[in-house]
Amino acid sequence: MKMSKILTPMIQTIATQPFLDQKPGTSGLRKKVPVFQQPHYLENFVQSIFDSLEGFQGQTLVVGGDGRYYNRTAIQIILKMAAANGFGRVLVGQGGILSTPAASCVIRKNQAFGGIILSASHNPAGPTEDFGIKYNIGNGGPAPEKVTEAIYAHSKTITSYKILEAPDVNLDKVGVDKLGEMAIEVIDAVNDYAQLMESLFDFDRIRELLTNGHFRMCMDSLSAVTGPYAHRLFEQRLGAPLGTVVHGEPLEDFGGGHPDPNLVYAHDLVELLFGDNAPDFGAASDGDGDRNMILGRQFFVTPSDSLAVLAANATLVPAYRDGLAGIARSMPTSQASDRVAAKLGIECYETPTGWKFFGNLLDANKATLCGEESFGTGSNHVREKDGLWAVLFWLNIIAVRQQSVEEIVTDHWKTYGRNFYSRHDYEGVDSDRANELVANIHSQMPTLTGKTFGSYEVAYCDDFSYTDPVDGSVSTKQGIRIGFTDGSRIVFRLSGTGTQGATLRLYVESYEPNPANHHLDPQVALKDLLDIADAIAQIRHYTQMDKPTVIT
Ligand code: VG1
Ligand code: CO
């Protein structure tokens, strides 16, 4: 009798005070770990999520994260709060792990009410590094702006939160447990996702490619979340030799690395693919598994080109055999996919940065493939961008076409012309100076149109505003675009995912129809536009930096 009394969990209502900095950015709330460790900080945000939702009593919530430092602690808190707030069931990935696309898959498959994903994506992890949390809705995708705004509004007026007083749940053992009235199911983190991948792609052909004894690939999971998924898919299901997946064990600090799959941060892989006796194919993914980098032997595929190539070859993949309903790309992403859409006679939508803007287009079947210049591609199979999906898509194309990555991309340029593209990031800029830089461009905007810079004439200049074609919602101030009469573009944006100072992103694009020039280095091809960008924005002056931190 006594025992069961002690074990009966109690719902507690804890008084709290608002934190005024809980505004979600491009992809959820991201802060340094010590910020999240302040008493009530995480709890306030989680309660604000629940307070902005209606109708979840007795429903299912999915919870998982990228395995970074503080993941397990945060999950225990969230489970107890979900129970206290009346969810009927929580599905949580074993060990607290779910990649972002896998979480999206699990939400959809189980018709969950929504999900909470713990990740700061590519930002470094560890006790003094970054942590993050975001809410995904029942379609499996990031909450749209009206939801994130409601969460923020609640966070500013919150006075209490509810939490169950109960022992921690064992996250390491697959199985069913109870937390108060709520059921907890610890699920295999990989199964549902791996099954979904198998249903989309031609696994037999990919297996043939990976086991033919000639083709070699390397998948670098950068000690982040995709390790278990990549081992299961490439080595176990598709027969690639053990060792194909490197850095395949998720570590709480990502091995001290920066799990951003680009030429700078994925340097081991880049060295391998550009070295002697390089494999045929290389890929990397980011902290939470939603981004991808694709490399051929001595060849880098620009993410914008990757989206265009996937779109142009989609019918080679079983899931997209009947063609695409449309394509969507974020505004700063190059216009390479617009050319594919034009040829296919389908729409290409231009959305603000961040995956949350693709959800409506996918739900309404206006778009099938989506992509961002920031190494993110995905489709209607889930409602997040999906790193390993993109890798499998490339392998499927290679298996069918029996060509190298380089041949496939250069062929593509021959057909469509090449959109030279580059992004320059200036990280850790003083926030005031970054805002002054933006204000300075704004002050020039009324007089820029019609101005010439060398051979370039400005055709338009605006701060991008998006009206969602499905629900009519409007999102303003999504980045400054300067377009030239020849179709070239310069775009400026401040990042919405950083946790320290500001990051300025400069995106530059030009179009080259002539194959004789397609071999040029983008930094050379784009030199004039980069100079024009600096002349207009005085980047060096405002950032006090001589050169960008990262060039992709
Ligand atoms: C960046 C990228 C954006 C991406 C976002 C989240 O945002 O530019 O394209 O959707 O990160 O990706 P920002 O605001 O810093 O430019 V992830 O992989 O961090 O969930
Ligand atoms: Co990510």
Side-chain angles (χ1 to χ4, degrees), residues 2-138:
K2 218 175 171 192
M3 272 297 282
S4 75
K5 223 178 187 169
I6 293 167
L7 290 175
T8 304
M10 285 265 299
I11 295 177
Q12 295 200 306
T13 303
I14 311 279
T16 188
Q17 284 182 339
F19 292 89
L20 299 178
D21 64 347
Q22 299 197 323
K23 186 177 169 58
T26 312
S27 181
L29 182 71
R30 292 184 188 176
K31 301 281 175 197
K32 293 284 172 210
V33 168
V35 174
F36 272 105
Q37 285 170 326
Q38 297 172 85
H40 310 318
Y41 193 89
L42 174 71
E43 292 87 344
N44 274 16
F45 190 73
V46 173
Q47 189 65 50
S48 300
I49 294 175
F50 294 155
D51 287 347
S52 65
L53 306 174
E54 262 169 40
F56 60 77
Q57 298 301 317
Q59 302 282 314
T60 300
L61 181 74
V62 172
V63 179
D66 62 15
R68 69 177 57 223
Y69 184 84
Y70 204 56
N71 193 48
R72 283 173 176 266
T73 313
I75 288 180
Q76 296 293 352
I77 292 171
I78 293 165
L79 296 181
K80 291 169 195 171
M81 289 186 67
N85 278 274
F87 274 94
R89 179 171 76 138
V90 168
L91 302 177
V92 56
Q94 189 178 12
I97 295 276
L98 280 177
S99 78
T100 293
S104 186
C105 164
V106 172
I107 293 171
R108 293 168 67 77
K109 186 165 176 179
N110 294 281
Q111 290 161 328
F113 187 86
I116 292 181
I117 301 178
L118 290 326
S119 170
S121 190
H122 53 287
N123 299 7
T128 56
E129 297 292 352
D130 289 1
F131 190 72
I133 172 167
K134 70 170 178 168
Y135 179 70
N136 279 29
I137 59 175

Side-chain angles (χ1 to χ4, degrees), residues 26-27 30 121-122 286 288 290-291 353-355 372-374 385 423 493 495-497 505 507:
T26 312
S27 181
R30 292 184 188 176
S121 190
H122 53 287
D286 70 335
D288 61 330
D290 55 2
R291 300 186 184 197
T353 294
W355 213 261
E372 295 191 281
E373 49 63 42
S374 53
K385 53 191 184 290
R423 179 174 113 183
R493 268 186 78 242
S495 156
T497 56
R505 304 203 195 284
Y507 314 80

